[in-house]
Amino acid sequence: MKMISQILVRIPLILWAFVVVFPLVWMFMGAFKSNAEIFTSPWALPQTFNFSNFESAWNDYNIGRAFLNSFFVTVLGSLLTLLLSIPTAYALERIRSKLGEVLINVYLASMMIPAVLGWIPLFFLLMKFNLLDNLWALSLVYAISHVPFTIFILIGFIGNVPKELEEAAIVDGMSPYGILFKIVTPLIKSGIITVTILNAISYWNEFFMALILLQTESKNTLGVAMNLLKVDAQYDSAWGVLFAGLCIAVIPVIIFYTIFQRHIVKGMTEGAIK
């Protein structure tokens, strides 16, 4: 009976894995095919592994430039998020007061507000400060939009740090900033890695804010560039190029998540215990 129950549990998991993996495999195969192969034998392996589709997507359809733009806003947005969130989470966790409780509730409430409600006010705000079509401004928008979530996660980790360590550091004459960055921050490394991974993947895949706030084609991120490539593929019959562009966009996320997935599981588990 135990073996039967294990088989019954694994069957849905295997089916779900197939549903998830098969489209990716089909996409990778299509990236190496010509248009004729895609239409005549869509499920077969490519006759030859031709990298011309990748070259065309990277150079002719500006996927290369968009890749670099996405990398820039992802890295900068992730760093800004940590810079804004770590001191705030530390202050809200350690300095318990009525104002602190109100601020925590405000941050939590902001997570419940649909992001779409802020797009139009945000557009006019950035236009007023002449920050539209600016990758630096987009990175800042990404960072601020993820600050509440990051604070919510980091507060749980900071709460697990013994206060006795901080008290000992105060006795030794260490400043509050020294305590934060030399003692607390290294001890919550798992939480920092976890939120950084989750935020980075979100920034990399983001589409709507980049579509609204960026206006120059040379500054498009991957999401916007892939949307334009999809439209062009319908008229140019560049389906192999479209698959190649999708591979360029997806491969970094797969590699990144594969390398750090243990940190995500470990981080979420540690953050849940307080």
Side-chain angles (χ1 to χ4, degrees):
M1 291 298 297
K2 183 178 180 180
M3 183 180 297
I4 294 174
S5 63
Q6 290 178 349
I7 293 174
L8 293 176
V9 169
R10 283 175 171 78
I11 288 176
L13 296 177
I14 293 173
L15 293 175
W16 176 249
F18 178 80
V19 170
V20 173
V21 172
F22 179 77
L24 294 175
V25 174
W26 185 66
M27 178 185 68
F28 285 120
M29 291 193 305
F32 295 98
K33 293 181 178 180
S34 63
N35 287 329
E37 286 185 85
I38 291 174
F39 286 105
T40 56
S41 54
W43 312 113
L45 292 173
Q47 296 179 358
T48 58
F49 287 90
N50 189 355
F51 289 88
S52 60
N53 288 331
F54 290 91
E55 182 180 354
S56 179
W58 187 270
N59 297 321
D60 300 336
Y61 291 90
N62 296 321
I63 298 300
R65 182 65 183 178
F67 183 95
L68 297 177
N69 291 339
S70 288
F71 181 80
F72 174 80
V73 298
T74 298
V75 173
L76 181 59
S78 300
L79 293 176
L80 288 175
T81 305
L82 294 178
L83 183 64
L84 295 171
S85 301
I86 293 176
T88 306
Y90 177 73
L92 292 175
E93 170 59 29
R94 288 297 189 247
I95 306 175
R96 290 293 183 175
S97 63
K98 291 184 178 180
L99 178 59
E101 295 295 332
V102 171
L103 290 175
I104 291 176
N105 291 329
V106 169
Y107 280 118
L108 293 178
S110 65
M111 295 171 59
M112 310 300 172
I113 302 175
V116 64
L117 298 179
W119 289 347
I120 295 177
L122 179 62
F123 177 87
F124 286 104
L125 179 65
L126 294 180
M127 183 174 64
K128 182 178 180 180
F129 288 98
N130 196 28
L131 291 175
L132 286 177
D133 198 28
N134 189 312
L135 293 175
W136 293 84
L138 181 64
S139 302
L140 181 61
V141 170
Y142 283 169
I144 293 175
S145 64
H146 282 70
V147 163
F149 167 75
T150 306
I151 290 175
F152 175 72
I153 297 297
L154 292 182
I155 282 178
F157 286 90
I158 295 174
N160 292 331
V161 177
K163 293 183 179 180
E164 290 77 9
L165 294 176
E166 300 174 40
E167 294 171 354
I170 293 174
V171 172
D172 291 338
M174 185 173 289
S175 66
Y177 291 103
I179 294 172
L180 173 60
F181 293 109
K182 294 182 179 180
I183 295 179
V184 176
T185 300
L187 293 176
I188 62 170
K189 182 175 64 175
S190 296
I192 293 175
I193 293 174
T194 300
V195 294
T196 301
I197 294 170
L198 296 177
N199 289 336
I201 292 176
S202 177
Y203 300 156
W204 183 268
N205 295 327
E206 203 282 324
F207 170 72
F208 287 105
M209 281 196 288
L211 178 65
I212 295 170
L213 303 180
L214 299 177
Q215 301 170 341
T216 305
E217 185 175 355
S218 61
K219 295 182 180 179
N220 286 340
T221 57
L222 265 177
V224 180
M226 288 306 307
N227 184 63
L228 296 175
L229 176 55
K230 181 192 70 174
V231 175
D232 292 339
Q234 296 176 354
Y235 295 99
D236 299 340
S237 296
W239 300 110
V241 177
L242 176 61
F243 288 141
L246 290 172
C247 290
I248 294 173
V250 169
I251 287 175
V253 178
I254 295 176
I255 295 175
F256 191 69
Y257 187 81
T258 302
I259 294 174
F260 293 103
Q261 62 174 332
R262 294 184 180 274
H263 292 281
I264 296 177
V265 176
K266 179 183 177 182
M268 296 305 292
T269 304
E270 290 182 0
I273 302 173
K274 181 177 178 181

